[in-house]
Amino acid sequence: MIAIRSASEVPWADLERVFETPGDPRTCWCQYFKVTPAEWDATDAQTFATRLHEQTRRGDPTPGLIAYVDDEAAGWVAVEPRDNYPRLRRSRVVQSGSAETWGDASVWSVVCFVVRREFRRQGTSGALIAAAVDRARAGGARVVEGYPVEPALISGSDADALYHGTVSMFEAAGFSEIAVPTPSRRVMARDLSAVA
């Protein structure tokens, strides 16, 4: 059974367990889209971990959600108002693909997924994205954007981009394709304005 909780309501040790997943999570701590390139180059993983800890302890809006499978911390999704991710403003994928105006607080973004290896292919990411949409709606979102990859069109080191999620995940959660800024990347959105 998969349960989703706000990262602001769970023990920090549970976030550490998820972010200690081998690969980028243990160095990024979901801060990549929140800092400038210069800050990224000059900051170590422990500082990023401290920043995420501070962000989750501030309360609402939470920077993300944690999935639990049988009470074990299994995964993470980052979802916040798009303006909380300043690096997205400079992203070629987003610049060329988003139809939304910068500075609109009703536009939220799903930018990152982390699922521990032993919990993959069990519906964890699907549960996280559905909960992210609900969280955005509760926070006043009119639109939720995502920037997933098409796995069939990536190879080698590009596989690292899977943290954005996959096109099929977003489609299953009711997102529609808005743009194809690169062969392997999509801009997808879900309009919440007509949903009660």
Side-chain angles (χ1 to χ4, degrees):
M1 188 168 103
I2 301 172
I4 309 293
R5 295 179 60 195
S6 164
S8 298
E9 299 171 352
V10 304
W12 173 245
D14 287 356
L15 276 89
E16 289 180 308
R17 182 78 172 117
V18 171
F19 278 90
E20 285 300 321
T21 296
D24 290 338
R26 66 172 62 163
T27 59
C28 177
W29 293 87
C30 221
Q31 300 302 298
Y32 180 79
F33 293 105
K34 294 187 172 194
V35 298
T36 66
E39 283 181 289
W40 177 256
D41 292 339
T43 307
D44 62 32
Q46 183 54 54
T47 301
F48 286 142
T50 300
R51 287 184 185 179
L52 181 61
H53 183 262
E54 292 167 355
Q55 291 159 8
T56 61
R57 300 308 105 172
R58 276 194 286 242
D60 194 34
T62 182
L65 305 169
I66 294 288
Y68 287 84
V69 176
D70 297 328
D71 296 324
E72 177 80 15
W76 154 272
V77 63
V79 57
E80 292 187 75
R82 187 174 66 175
D83 285 350
N84 288 4
Y85 302 117
R87 190 172 256 193
L88 285 182
R89 188 172 194 146
R90 295 183 299 275
S91 163
R92 286 177 294 175
V93 168
V94 180
Q95 278 184 352
S96 65
S98 177
E100 300 297 328
T101 304
W102 286 99
D104 183 341
S106 71
V107 180
W108 284 47
S109 292
V110 175
V111 297
C112 179
F113 293 86
V114 178
V115 176
R116 290 171 51 198
R117 287 185 179 167
E118 58 268 39
F119 297 107
R120 293 177 188 168
R121 300 185 186 277
Q122 298 178 32
T124 307
S125 294
L128 282 165
I129 195 169
V133 169
D134 290 343
R135 172 65 193 104
R137 182 184 290 116
R142 173 183 54 82
V143 172
V144 185
E145 288 186 342
Y147 319 102
V149 299
E150 180 53 72
L153 300 175
I154 61 175
S155 62
S157 63
D158 290 342
D160 292 344
L162 286 170
Y163 74 89
H164 293 291
T166 65
V167 170
S168 62
M169 282 171 42
F170 279 84
E171 286 174 340
F175 285 70
S176 299
E177 183 178 289
I178 302 301
V180 183
T182 73
S184 64
R185 293 291 297 282
R186 305 290 185 270
V187 174
M188 300 186 77
R190 181 160 168 190
D191 184 349
L192 304 180
S193 61
V195 178

